[in-house]
Amino acid sequence: MQHAITLARRAQEQGEVPVGAVIVENDQIIGEGWNQPITTIDPTAHAEIHALRHAASNKQNYRVPGAVMYVTLEPCVMCTGAIFHSRLAQVVFGAYDPKTGAAGSVINLFENGLLNHHASITGGILQSECTKLLQDFFRERR
């Protein structure tokens, strides 16, 4: 999670909402990303999507079963869908997102039995640090 926080700070330096994501398999980082929708003019350029693309490229496979994603913010609906399609085993996140969180804050897709794949979810890891990073960013913007 510490590396994900470092990546979130990279996003912040670029004027992006500070969210970072890391994908780990067998104790090795296989993917990483940070928010870049403004920089890339791409609404899908969330940290999780970049990390998934990076991991898939490294593995030469669009699926990364058994891997774990660490992300500083609770995934949104779009990112949760991509997580499910990638077959990640687990997602660990820091800050809860009361506006767009799809792991329990607004909706919980991780517990929806109608979906054909699920990942286990753990929230609140280094929550204070992840939340403060976001709060400081938005405070400066206002």
Side-chain angles (χ1 to χ4, degrees):
M1 185 63 84
Q2 286 295 339
H3 187 58
I5 291 169
T6 298
L7 295 172
R9 289 191 177 109
R10 186 177 299 173
Q12 184 173 16
E13 290 167 4
Q14 296 176 352
E16 302 276 2
V17 175
V19 178
V22 177
I23 298 175
V24 175
E25 180 182 63
N26 298 322
D27 296 323
Q28 298 287 327
I29 293 174
I30 61 169
E32 62 180 36
W34 58 93
N35 266 9
Q36 298 178 61
I38 298 166
T39 306
T40 61
I41 313 169
D42 178 359
T44 69
H46 289 194
E48 298 96 322
I49 301 299
H50 280 289
L52 286 167
R53 288 176 179 158
H54 188 211
S57 178
N58 282 337
K59 298 297 289 184
Q60 290 297 292
N61 190 339
Y62 70 104
R63 290 188 172 156
V64 287
V68 178
M69 175 182 284
Y70 296 87
V71 60
T72 59
L73 181 64
E74 179 182 358
C76 70
V77 171
M78 175 186 68
C79 292
T80 299
I83 287 164
F84 290 173
H85 284 291
S86 74
R87 304 298 195 258
L88 281 175
Q90 182 179 10
V91 176
V92 178
F93 70 88
Y96 288 86
D97 186 348
K99 295 187 178 185
T100 64
S105 291
V106 175
I107 189 171
N108 194 341
L109 294 177
F110 290 85
E111 290 184 356
N112 186 320
L114 298 174
L115 299 171
N116 71 333
H117 181 73
H118 293 89
S120 67
I121 188 84
T122 303
I125 305 303
L126 296 180
Q127 180 178 354
S128 297
E129 189 172 352
C130 294
T131 299
K132 184 177 181 334
L133 191 60
L134 289 158
Q135 288 173 338
D136 291 349
F137 173 79
F138 287 113
R139 189 175 304 113
E140 289 175 16
R141 305 240 345 168
R142 290 187 184 119

